Amino acid sequence: MYYKSTRDSSIKVTSAEAVIKGLSEEGGLFIPESLPEITAEEIDLMGEMSYPERAFLILRKFFTDFTDDELKSAVESAYGENFSVPNATVLSKLYPDCYVLELFHGPTCAFKDMALQLLPYLMTVSAKKVEAVKDRHIAILTATSGDTGKAALEGFKNVSGTSIAVFYPDEGVSEMQKRQMITQEGENVYVCSVKGNFDDCQNAVKEIFTDPELAARLAEKNMLFSSANSINWGRLAPQIVYYISMYASLLFEGEIKKGEKINICVPTGNFGNILAAYYAKEMGLPVNKLICASNTNNILTDFIKTGVYDRNREFHVTVSPSMDILISSNLERLIYQYHLSEQECSSLKGWFTALKDKGRYEVNDRVKEKLTADFYAGWCGEEKTKAVIKGIFDDYSYLMDPHTAVAYGVYAEYREETGDKIKTVIAATASPYKFCAAVYDALGKTPDADEFKTAEDLEKLTNTEMPEPLAKTRGLPVRFTDCTEKDGLKRVVSEMLKV
């Protein structure tokens, strides 16, 4: 299987090259030339498989230039004792036709671990396969709205031949997310806050990736850039696995019948997590509707409903900070997927040029029709998000983080609006203890100024337990205090890498 760029279909690379490059030279994202099929028989067979075995079966369809031994070693190393549950994820039944897919049982307590525990293995194997980058140092740059940063740092810490720098919005992450990053251990890691929002971080990192002068300076030092954001196909592909795995578990446990369609509801900001669900659907997973849940920064809701993407709007800092995004990078992959001719692909370039220059574009009628056929979109405001957290805990003794609560709020709206009672799985993206002040407040209590005191109070109130990876950060020394203006990232990266 080969991969092409969303902005230049003449580019064709192997999966190893796509993983190493992260982003195509002209700024496009890599996508498979065609999506492989997952058959009903394969899904049935997965029922008795472990998570690594399921991951191997699915990912070998995408990483065809990897040997079976290389891929097996990668998935077995990625999904082992570093997760606190036997098979990496937990599928909880909230009530008869609503399930919660818990993706936060990895070492950083967020769904990003599902991909970022695997990406370093994919990247180190890829580096040995791509002749042009053999023996070169890989400098990984990552923008984060909270969870990707810590998961990437944890995945790449002390990985030979790599270094990683993470940039996060100074006022745009929770205290626990911030603490996880600034106390990160590892000799090859660097963390810096940015005076701006996530979009500022993401745009600056993308500009660095496509800066020819900086690339030349790196080459002189035998280095190259790569990414751990979901713009990297090696980050996105592993996310497809857990949706197919989830369906296999539902089938194996007798919750659904073979071929029965389900809905999948995903809280999303950068569109990567729900795009992985879309790819699973296109591969053959029986999915009825993909429910795209946004917070007050509801740009995706408006886009899916109208076909107009307009980031010229107020940016909101919310209790679900990982979704505080106005430029959803992975949307480019979806729109490209909806295009079939080279002529139409050129219009896509025009749309994203317009987004950069004017902050707005509008897709054609064909794309609009496909959007509304595949997706339902809604958003959940701050007060409703808090009400969901309290309501779900009161009714089911289930504690949700704010992002998962946004998803449930939108699902409830979808169900009421459409009357659709098809079994639905909600992606739970983070431990509630990563946002314990917001969760404690939603339960009607006043958080303490000390995040860890609030966590203790939340434990007593809900009879739940703070995950050990979060609890242990209390005793860790702060290592990173740097902060830069949004136009200072190039200077910071140059100084960090000494180029």
Side-chain angles (χ1 to χ4, degrees):
M1 176 177 285
Y2 287 92
Y3 292 78
K4 55 189 177 182
S5 167
T6 52
R7 300 192 188 182
D8 186 349
S9 294
S10 67
I11 292 173
K12 188 165 82 169
V13 300
T14 64
S15 66
E17 290 174 300
V19 169
I20 289 296
K21 290 174 180 289
L23 195 68
S24 189
E25 288 88 347
E26 80 295 345
L29 307 184
F30 289 113
I31 62 169
E33 282 191 311
S34 61
L35 286 171
E37 181 186 7
I38 188 78
T39 66
E41 290 70 27
E42 287 174 314
I43 295 172
D44 203 16
L45 285 171
M46 285 183 204
E48 296 187 7
M49 290 182 181
S50 67
Y51 193 85
E53 288 170 332
R54 293 175 180 182
F56 171 72
L57 190 153
I58 296 162
L59 292 175
R60 72 194 303 253
K61 297 174 182 289
F62 291 102
F63 295 92
T64 55
D65 49 334
F66 283 54
T67 68
D68 283 357
D69 286 344
E70 287 170 338
L71 200 52
K72 280 180 181 177
S73 175
V75 295
E76 287 169 2
S77 300
Y79 304 115
E81 293 182 0
N82 47 336
F83 284 80
S84 61
V85 293
N87 268 317
T89 67
V90 171
L91 192 56
S92 297
K93 190 173 183 177
L94 206 57
Y95 48 83
D97 51 1
C98 182
Y99 304 80
V100 179
L101 177 62
E102 296 178 359
L103 300 167
F104 52 78
H105 294 285
T108 76
C109 305
F111 81 100
K112 305 298 175 73
D113 289 326
M114 299 301 299
L116 282 164
Q117 285 298 293
L118 179 61
L119 181 59
Y121 297 101
L122 297 178
M123 194 167 282
T124 51
V125 173
S126 295
K128 296 172 185 175
K129 292 179 176 295
V130 181
E131 193 64 37
V133 301
K134 278 184 179 178
D135 301 320
R136 292 178 69 179
H137 182 91
I138 302 170
I140 299 155
L141 305 184
T142 299
T144 185
S145 55
D147 289 332
T148 291
K150 172 60 180 177
L153 290 163
E154 191 66 23
F156 281 95
K157 73 175 182 183
N158 297 328
V159 172
S160 178
T162 72
S163 57
I164 179 167
V166 166
F167 299 95
Y168 69 92
D170 189 41
E171 301 295 331
V173 299
S174 77
E175 285 302 309
M176 189 60 72
Q177 287 175 313
K178 180 179 179 180
R179 180 156 188 81
Q180 282 187 293
M181 289 186 282
I182 63 177
T183 60
Q184 176 64 47
E185 299 170 324
E187 297 302 314
N188 63 335
V189 303
Y190 174 76
V191 178
C192 182
S193 65
V194 177
K195 293 178 181 177
N197 57 41
F198 169 75
D199 293 326
D200 296 322
C201 300
Q202 182 171 246
N203 287 340
V205 167
K206 281 186 173 181
E207 287 177 9
I208 290 172
F209 277 137
T210 54
D211 186 319
E213 183 260 341
L214 192 53
R217 279 158 46 194
L218 247 69
E220 290 176 4
K221 296 276 190 175
N222 203 33
M223 296 178 173
L224 77 157
F225 284 132
S226 191
S227 172
N229 284 99
S230 56
I231 58 174
N232 190 318
W233 179 254
R235 241 294 301 277
L236 188 59
Q239 295 181 253
I240 299 170
V241 174
Y242 51 71
Y243 289 113
I244 299 174
S245 174
M246 166 270 293
Y247 189 94
S249 293
L250 286 174
L251 183 63
F252 183 70
E253 293 163 12
E255 296 291 331
I256 57 174
K257 297 176 182 177
K258 192 171 183 178
E260 181 179 345
K261 286 191 174 183
I262 62 169
N263 298 322
I264 299 174
C265 181
V266 186
T268 191
N270 214 17
F271 207 75
N273 201 3
I274 198 166
L275 180 65
Y278 166 81
Y279 280 140
K281 176 178 183 287
E282 290 299 293
M283 289 172 68
L285 194 70
V287 175
N288 172 58
K289 208 75 172 180
L290 297 165
I291 302 170
C292 180
S294 300
N295 63 15
T296 310
N297 294 295
N298 59 348
I299 190 166
L300 285 169
T301 306
D302 291 345
F303 174 70
I304 289 169
K305 288 184 173 181
T306 68
V308 176
Y309 197 98
D310 191 346
R311 64 176 175 85
N312 300 309
R313 60 178 68 203
E314 184 180 356
F315 178 87
H316 300 277
V317 176
T318 73
V319 295
S320 47
S322 297
M323 300 162 68
D324 291 346
I325 296 171
L326 292 181
I327 302 177
S328 304
S329 290
N330 276 292
L331 202 57
E332 182 168 340
R333 281 188 167 111
L334 177 74
I335 296 173
Y336 186 97
Q337 205 75 38
Y338 283 160
H339 282 69
L340 298 176
S341 73
E342 291 300 314
Q343 185 177 1
E344 287 176 319
C345 289
S346 66
S347 69
L348 181 143
K349 292 181 187 177
W351 294 338
F352 284 94
T353 299
L355 178 64
K356 183 178 180 181
D357 295 343
K358 300 178 182 177
R360 182 185 188 279
Y361 66 87
E362 181 173 2
V363 296
N364 57 33
D365 289 342
R366 181 178 169 196
V367 173
K368 290 177 187 178
E369 289 172 8
K370 290 190 174 187
L371 280 169
T372 53
D374 288 327
F375 295 88
Y376 171 90
W379 64 281
C380 190
E382 297 289 88
E383 292 308 311
K384 186 176 177 182
T385 299
K386 293 176 183 179
V388 168
I389 293 172
K390 188 174 191 311
I392 293 295
F393 184 76
D394 289 347
D395 292 345
Y396 306 104
S397 299
Y398 189 88
L399 197 61
M400 284 182 171
D401 88 288
H403 304 78
T404 310
V406 165
Y408 185 86
V410 173
Y411 166 62
E413 174 190 276
Y414 167 80
R415 185 174 168 131
E416 183 178 350
E417 183 180 313
T418 64
D420 180 3
K421 294 184 180 180
I422 287 176
K423 288 171 179 152
T424 298
V425 177
I426 294 170
T429 54
S431 164
Y433 282 90
K434 293 196 80 164
F435 311 92
C436 51
V439 172
Y440 196 61
D441 175 63
L443 296 176
K445 304 296 182 178
T446 302
D448 194 271
D450 182 343
E451 187 87 351
F452 290 96
K453 174 62 168 63
T454 300
E456 290 171 1
D457 293 339
L458 185 60
E459 287 179 317
K460 293 173 185 175
L461 179 67
T462 62
N463 197 30
T464 59
E465 190 174 344
M466 186 181 196
E468 189 269 338
L470 300 180
K472 75 176 185 181
T473 63
R474 187 172 198 166
L476 295 177
V478 172
R479 293 188 63 202
F480 302 102
T481 57
D482 291 351
C483 183
T484 183
E485 300 289 342
K486 59 187 178 183
D487 59 358
L489 264 70
K490 182 177 178 180
R491 174 189 55 77
V492 169
V493 169
S494 298
E495 290 174 358
M496 181 192 79
L497 297 175
K498 297 181 174 58
V499 296

